[in-house]
Amino acid sequence: MTAGGPVLGPLETWARDWREHGRAEVCEAGTLQQRVDHAVRTLRFNLQWAAVNHPAVDEFARETSLIYRQCEAQVSGERRPRTVPVACPCGQTLRVTLDTPGCRCPRCGTQYGHSELMDLPLAERRIAA
Ligand SMILES: [Zn+2]
């Protein structure tokens, strides 16, 4: 969101670094969006070169994948998988996600594996009497 923020700052730092190798151009004019676009374009253009020749390409890959994940989380607005309430036959509602490996029902003590949890019916919303 800002020039020194977690997206544009590192990207332009890499662009400046690559410029010293003659492999990128830095353009700090325009809106922040234009600067991000420019930095991404100039880095992508010589990505092949960097993968083979840049001494710190590992660090570059780590940093850009971190930036990518941060952007993705912001765009989707969702960091954690959605919780789904399923009903144990005993009447207990179990809150699971698609990633839950398994769980034990706190009421009747039945142990469920992942696929067994996915087979349980969705719990109906309790209606206040
Ligand atoms: Zn149960």
Side-chain angles (χ1 to χ4, degrees):
M1 300 291 175
T2 65
V7 175
L8 184 58
L11 287 175
E12 285 191 337
T13 301
W14 281 109
R16 273 192 290 276
D17 177 78
W18 290 23
R19 182 177 58 180
E20 285 169 25
H21 298 268
R23 295 290 176 163
E25 37 176 72
V26 177
C27 174
E28 295 176 21
T31 65
L32 292 178
Q33 181 65 59
Q34 285 166 336
R35 287 169 64 179
V36 168
D37 290 347
H38 178 86
V40 169
R41 258 201 310 275
T42 191
L43 292 173
R44 280 183 71 156
F45 187 75
N46 277 308
L47 193 55
Q48 199 89 45
W49 161 85
V52 178
N53 299 295
H54 197 283
V57 72
D58 288 352
E59 199 186 333
F60 173 75
R62 264 196 307 277
E63 249 184 67
T64 45
S65 90
L66 198 68
I67 292 170
Y68 177 79
R69 283 203 301 273
Q70 283 173 344
C71 292
E72 204 180 32
Q74 277 196 355
V75 170
S76 70
E78 196 171 16
R79 291 191 78 95
R80 298 158 56 86
R82 208 158 66 91
T83 313
V84 181
V86 294
C88 179
C90 76
Q92 177 71 38
T93 297
L94 305 172
R95 302 202 156 269
V96 301
T97 71
L98 292 178
D99 299 327
T100 304
C103 82
R104 179 183 292 277
C105 173
R107 186 193 275 187
C108 68
T110 306
Q111 178 69 45
Y112 293 100
H114 176 78
S115 57
E116 292 160 320
L117 281 174
M118 296 300 119
D119 284 344
L120 288 174
L122 284 178
E124 301 200 7
R125 289 225 175 112
R126 214 160 278 186
I127 299 160

